[in-house]
Amino acid sequence: MTIELVEGDGQDRLPEEFRPYVKEWFNSEFENLSPPQKHSFQLIHEKENSLICAPTGSGKTLSAFLSALNNLFEKGEKKELEDKIYTVYVSPLRALNNDIKRNLEAPLQGILEKAEEMGYEVPEVRSAVRTGDTTDAEKAAMRKKPPHILITTPESLGIVLSSPKFRENLKDAEYMIVDEIHSLSENKRGVHLSLSMERLQELSENNLTRIGLSATQAPIKDIASYLVGFDVEEENWDYETDYGTIVDMAEEASKDEFDTRGCKIVDVSASKEIDIETISPVRDLIYTESGEVHEAMYDKINNLIQTHESTLIFTNTRSATERVVNNLKERFDDYNDNIGAHHSSMSREERLEVEEKLKKGEMKVGVTSTSLELGVDIGAVDLVIQIGSPKGVARGIQRIGRSGHQIGKKAKGKMLVVDRDEALECSVLTKCAREDDLDRIQIPENCLDVLAQQIVGMACDHRWSIDHAYNIIRKSHCYRNLTREDYDSVLQYLGGEFELEDQNVYRKIWLNREKGLLGRSGKMTRVIYMTNIGTIPDETGYEVVTRGSKNFVGSLDEEFLDRLTKGDIFTLGGNTYQFSYARGMKVYVDPKPKSRPTVPSWYSERLPLSYDLGIRIGEFREKIAKQLKMNASRDEIIQWIMHNYYLDEYTAEAVYSYIGEQYRFAGTVATHNSITVEKYIDEDNRQNLIFHTIYGRRVHDALARIMAHILQKKYGSNIGMVIDDNGFILRTPRRPVDLDSLFEELQKCDPYKELKEAVGKTELMKRRFRHVAGRSLMILRSYKGDSKTVGQQQMKGHFLISTIRNRYSEEFPMIKETYREIMEDAMDLNNAEKVIQGLREDEVKWTRFEPEVPSPFSHNLLLQGSTDVIKIEDRQERLRKLHEQVMERIQQQ
């Protein structure tokens, strides 16, 4: 079976085989078929697995459902419709599930009425939502009379698959619909879902027709593979053979190639016109006073709002969302009850109120960070304003696509920038969005913690052949390359073969190696699985105290703490502190009143630049640098930028000036295939090795830690790090650093081994291990009605990782998974290795220079944390002074 793109224009009418009343209802509601419907109706009717990539508001939800609805009504007409679940719909958001339930009411009721009008006797087709919000009474009613269409989340699907009284209702499932598939497939919730889909397929007596939906998808064939999974040839091993031989045989067999189940890709993402432009509120982003810049920015926002019916504003942090709402209210009289904030720190009730008002047209402006990116239809929004860079092309399209939801309407967006780095990013992002050049997601593979949790769920269902379970698991795209060795190590852990009972870690399954069987170990196994299911870890704030006086100075969220390494300086409550260590739920610091922060307070909230967009920015820089080298004039280059990219004159001038100044000052411009290392001694007498790279923060995090670890081994002292999307800084002792030797060692090293050593003893490792231990049911969030606090979980995690390391190797499955999660999910070692390989093969060059004043590209990096301790006006003044020094040096050349 193959994964292939569907070609051609499709067909302009519903499939001939659709029931007359279904056709009559559709034709009475819609003038014609939308682009995704022209292909998908027929494909899904013919039970073809289908991935539908289409803009928001293009009718793709009905594309997925109508064939299933036709099938259900036809069964009812033939008296074959039973109280069973035939269609399972999964989305990442509970709010989206409720929205889908409401949106299905119209076709379900409308088709029923048309059938009755036309003299057909058909029963009611029912849908129901099953999520964490579903009450016990609603669940009981569902068990008694199951819906024909189950609308659920990945976690709830995992629960119902192991619910003895409910799972029987899934045996006739025919359709599996996954909405917002790009959002799910790139994280562990999606990994969990991929195994649940295989468990559902194993349970169902039908060959599931799988349907994936999303507005933005890349790499589209990988997402299709994620959706449909693989056909795996059954392997059975003779368990009387020496066990080591079995593993060797299985390892060899797992190398065999096998095919996907096949999928038709309906990609009409470019069928909806997108009007997107990058704009700057002022001509000069350096010398215009900061107050004037912000005055102009809010004037521009207000003018855009006033010329549109309904506007959605995206920021990149929760704090910025609140700031924008407050500023608009304070500056203009038009915003009182008709503007609202929407972000994850707000209560569910507050968020729902904003959503409802936007839908009903009662709210003119909604301001959000990430929480309205997906799913919920928020009504007649006709403009999206993005403040700053969304950091990824797909994310930018997703956000802009929240406007123009009606079929035939245009999605319209403005990227508003007040910073030269953002101007550069958004200029490239806008072009990529217009030309549908998406950045690629990375689908996690072989996550051993999720595997452990799902094996426990499988064991709750019935006894399994160990071999058959392995084959079922490998049908998932996420586990197609799972080795028998890793699978067996997870079974050993779950079967209690590692001695951890003294740490209150008991076996969850029993193993009979002689017969090759596994099953649940006791009655409590099902309760443990049901009450601890899921992949999202519990999080809470950490208390920050001074080391000497033990004074409480505030709290930090876990995601921010993940980024701290010993010696980092950050701001809390208006004061600066140096991070020393964390123990339990307390963070120990030393006051550093005169030091500048190395990690700004908003760091953990900010989205990372995607690697692919970074490469595109590098290519753009390279094109400008070539024109500068050929002595093209300022006007020629600005006109070229405006002609080839979608931005206003102010932004084009800002981009030209930024790259041109760096080129004239340094004689070169860092790109995707050239790295510049700048050595600068700052006013605090610190040696800064500034690496001008453009691969995104996750890649830079990996590269910086590897290089810092190499230097630490050489000098025996702590190396400070500043990591951003446009490069990173290594702060070293005031001694000569041999950069040739550093790059030589970087190219010779094993990046995986080096990074593993670098993070092995960090706080990041301890916290991520707690997450992994929770997912793999080593640490239980809930047991017999008692819930463990995050602090209790963290303390148990500390003891566990220490015990495991003392007794077993770093290859213990959950420690191995912790390293994988850090290196592949939190960081991006895969793409960092591409950069290192490029250096080895001389495809990526590097140069150095040592200026008296820092170069233009380094200014934002050097001042990264300063917004926490100085007013924005003062930061602007410092940028201005640095810029003046640069221009003075350029004029002297």
Side-chain angles (χ1 to χ4, degrees), residues 295 298-299 302 327-335:
E295 194 74 38
Y298 283 105
D299 283 343
N302 180 56
N327 269 290
L328 286 171
K329 282 184 174 181
E330 287 174 7
R331 290 169 186 263
F332 307 100
D333 296 331
D334 301 327
Y335 308 107

Side-chain angles (χ1 to χ4, degrees), residues 125-141:
V125 173
R126 301 184 309 278
S127 67
V129 175
R130 168 75 184 252
T131 69
D133 292 336
T134 307
T135 65
D136 289 340
E138 288 169 330
K139 291 174 187 175

